[in-house]
Amino acid sequence: MVRKFFLFAFCVFPFRLLSQDLIKLPELQNLIRQAGPIKVINFWATWCGPCVKEMPLLEKLNHEDKSVKVILVSMDYDLDPDPSKVKKFIDRKKILSQVVILAEENPNDWIEKIDKNWSGALPSTLVVNPNSGKRKFIQGELKEGDLEKLIQEVSK
């Protein structure tokens, strides 16, 4: 009986963020390099107003362009390692893109490993073509048309 209820609850109320979505930097680097489609990797936090403001653009891309993989990397862990807050945010905003929480502390130790020019500002977005190695990194809030332009640049 309990097993059936759990299966029913999981199907009716799916969890978009599970404990395995906590990743360390080497796992994120592997995800970035992994062969396959162009990836749009957005670094954001629940407390970041511009991050929240640009979410609809990322969700729209995720929904409309299946040739691109959108990955949202939460940077909340450094200030609050409780993943339930990120999960609640994702559920409340109905985020369907893949979300991972970067379980790293002290960003100054690792931000240059993502991009040597990254100041650590949020939001920031990395667009990478793992097949050609082309990549574009932008700091700051995305505007309408920015993602498409960045994707086109790494596609050439």
Side-chain angles (χ1 to χ4, degrees):
M1 177 68 174
V2 172
R3 187 193 232 169
K4 286 181 182 178
F5 175 76
F6 178 76
L7 182 59
F8 171 77
F10 187 76
C11 292
V12 174
F13 308 106
F15 294 105
R16 291 187 191 97
L17 183 68
L18 301 171
S19 60
Q20 69 265 23
D21 291 312
L22 286 170
I23 65 171
K24 301 296 271 178
L25 182 62
E27 294 168 285
L28 177 59
Q29 290 172 312
N30 287 339
L31 192 59
I32 292 169
R33 287 189 296 261
Q34 186 178 33
I38 290 173
K39 295 179 183 79
V40 173
I41 302 159
N42 180 262
F43 297 88
W44 66 285
T46 58
W47 47 262
C48 168
C51 300
V52 175
K53 188 176 176 186
E54 72 181 9
M55 284 277 176
L57 295 175
L58 295 155
E59 282 296 283
K60 179 180 175 190
L61 177 67
N62 182 59
H63 178 73
E64 293 179 356
D65 191 345
K66 298 303 179 191
S67 69
V68 174
K69 181 162 182 68
V70 176
I71 303 167
L72 305 176
V73 181
S74 167
M75 306 296 284
D76 287 273
Y77 186 88
D78 184 46
L79 295 177
D80 186 352
D82 180 4
S84 69
K85 291 181 181 177
V86 175
K87 184 201 177 314
K88 288 176 189 170
F89 177 90
I90 291 164
D91 289 345
R92 188 174 67 250
K93 297 289 185 180
K94 297 179 176 44
I95 306 282
L96 298 177
S97 298
Q98 179 182 355
V99 177
V100 295
I101 299 172
L102 187 57
E104 294 286 354
E105 296 176 359
N106 195 3
N108 292 327
D109 290 344
W110 54 263
I111 58 172
E112 287 186 352
K113 293 176 182 170
I114 300 296
D115 189 275
K116 65 180 185 234
N117 297 314
W118 189 14
S119 69
L122 295 178
S124 290
T125 304
L126 172 64
V127 179
V128 62
N129 183 337
N131 301 319
S132 69
K134 290 183 180 179
R135 52 191 285 150
K136 292 287 182 178
F137 188 80
I138 184 169
Q139 297 184 72
E141 183 182 336
L142 296 166
K143 305 290 186 228
E144 189 74 42
D146 286 349
L147 287 169
E148 293 77 8
K149 180 181 173 191
L150 293 166
I151 291 166
Q152 186 176 28
E153 288 176 21
V154 301
S155 296
K156 295 177 185 175

